[in-house]
Amino acid sequence: MTIPVLIVGAGPSGLTAAVELSRLGVDVRIVDRAVRPSTESRALAVQARTMELLRVRGIGDEMLALGNQARAAGLYTGDRKLAPIELHRMPSRFNFILMLAQSETERLLAEQLARQGVKVERGVEVTSVRPGGDTVAVTLRGAEGAEERVEASFVIATDGPRSTLRKTLGVPFPGRTLPQDYVLADLHIDGDLPEDEVSIFLARGGFVAVFPMGRGRFRMMATDPDGLLDGDADPTAEQMQRLYDRTVGVPARLHDVNWSSRFRINSRHVPTMRAGRVFLGGDAAHVHSPAGGQGMNVGIQDMVNLSWKLAMVLDGRARADLLDTYSSERLPVIRTVVRFTEIGTRVFNSTNPVLHALRIRLAPKALARNAVQNAAAAMFGQVSAGYRGDALAEGGGGVGALRAGDRVPDVGGLYDALDLGALTLFTAGQAIVDVGRSWDGVVSVRDAAALTPDGWLLVRPDGYLAAAGGPGDAAMLDRWLERWFVRPAVTI
Ligand SMILES: Cc1cc2nc3c(=O)[nH]c(=O)nc-3n(C[C@H](O)[C@H](O)[C@H](O)COP(=O)(O)OP(=O)(O)OC[C@H]3O[C@@H](n4cnc5c(N)ncnc54)[C@H](O)[C@@H]3O)c2cc1C
């Protein structure tokens, strides 16, 4: 029997795909070679856009209850605050960074998945993939070594940065590994550090960033430019204290490390996220510095982008080439994130005294400008990213400043009214309603006299604008739908 979708890897990306696809009625199998879920806290930052998407998918409230909110990021030198980055300016109801251990995000996703009747198959490794015409042949090896050969219509490769599938399929992963060594630790800090702000301490030749996890616990990330930490074992509290004291001017005592690690930054992404019937996503497709707290979020959003398209193609409601827009929409977003984290890493790590003096002088001036603050907050929260200019947005028009491909803001309860398995047409005009109804199953119609009295909005399940226009644009709406979707058969 052919499996509609096999998901390889049950990290945050794979789990999101499984939650999303199974909720949309697609039969999925999800396998992970690890026997147990990871207990490492790894990605700590959950960004506003991720929260917007996960809230309407059932797990946002629990995440909010468990996490700690950072509403600003303060830049310091020594004990002097240079300027805050005002994250609370994000144009989102989640106008903060939610600090929550990745293991908790994964647990909540897996629990939601179990409620939807799907269990992660653990201790199951994919050892080979062979793409065919209509299916992909995959070999699975269980914990005891038993092999199973399966056929899948589509495979989602969310098997992490060393992706077996990416390598087997010969998809390149160009980029570079940065030379600096980084350390991080989750520990207790007794000292006068804010618990509702990220604190970033800049020094000549390195930085210390401290992320508040709540109740006195923090994630500390730092460079070690003077080689204060010898050996390559995971850093201890005493070693982190040495790095802290070297750079931070706020006295504090560091203790009780429950997870620590050393790492080097890789900055890479694939040139395409699709290889025939295999889709690459999450760290299998892109890796970069964890400093901006973007990585896991990008992976989750990859899967939200892919899943509704895949579900609609599988059940015949959408044309097959809709699937090409997964890669064409996500790659520009990923390139921007990789570039922005690379620039940030270069600025933060510079050992050049002139550059250090310059950033100390320029940061307060730049951050005094409203436009810079607004852009920075929206970028961190991933709410300014969108798909304007991609094929799917062509001919989709717009309304006011909102163009096809843009993120639709969650105003007036709009996200709660979204049909997460179809396009949602918000309109009050009869001619537009008639077009919407003729696309039953592809389009769900919502009366929206209060939201958009004159115009109409067609919103995708992932909260981006598919198309929009005025009362006279019924033909344009029909044309746009015709390009990507399959007109339902008329029943008499
Ligand atoms: C030390 C460290 C610190 C980090 N800190 C941050 C941070 O602060 N902020 C941030 O945003 N990101 C951070 N990251 C990155 C973040 O953890 C990743 O972006 C995130 O885990 C990506 O999720 P994923 O689901 O794409 O891949 P992964 O989480 O890597 O999951 C891949 C899964 O695939 C499974 N797998 C692999 N190969 C196979 C196979 N052949 N068959 C079956 N299963 C397989 C693995 O067991 C794994 O469970 C950090 C990473 C590390 C290592």
Side-chain angles (χ1 to χ4, degrees), residues 8-14 31-34 42-44 102 124-126 158-161 164 184 219 259 261 281-283 290 293-296:
V8 185
S13 308
V31 300
D32 197 296
R33 71 175 167 205
R42 295 199 286 165
L44 200 57
Q102 182 171 328
V124 178
E125 180 173 16
V126 168
T158 44
D159 52 342
T164 307
L184 63 77
R219 154 85 49 92
W259 178 62
S261 182
D283 276 22
Q294 306 286 301
M296 178 185 73

Side-chain angles (χ1 to χ4, degrees), residues 5 52 125 130 147 225 291 296 374 382 388 408 416 446:
V5 180
E52 290 179 347
E125 180 173 16
R130 227 166 354 94
E147 288 203 339
M296 178 185 73
N374 291 341
Q382 300 185 352
R388 223 189 244 207
V408 179
D416 289 313
R446 305 274 188 269

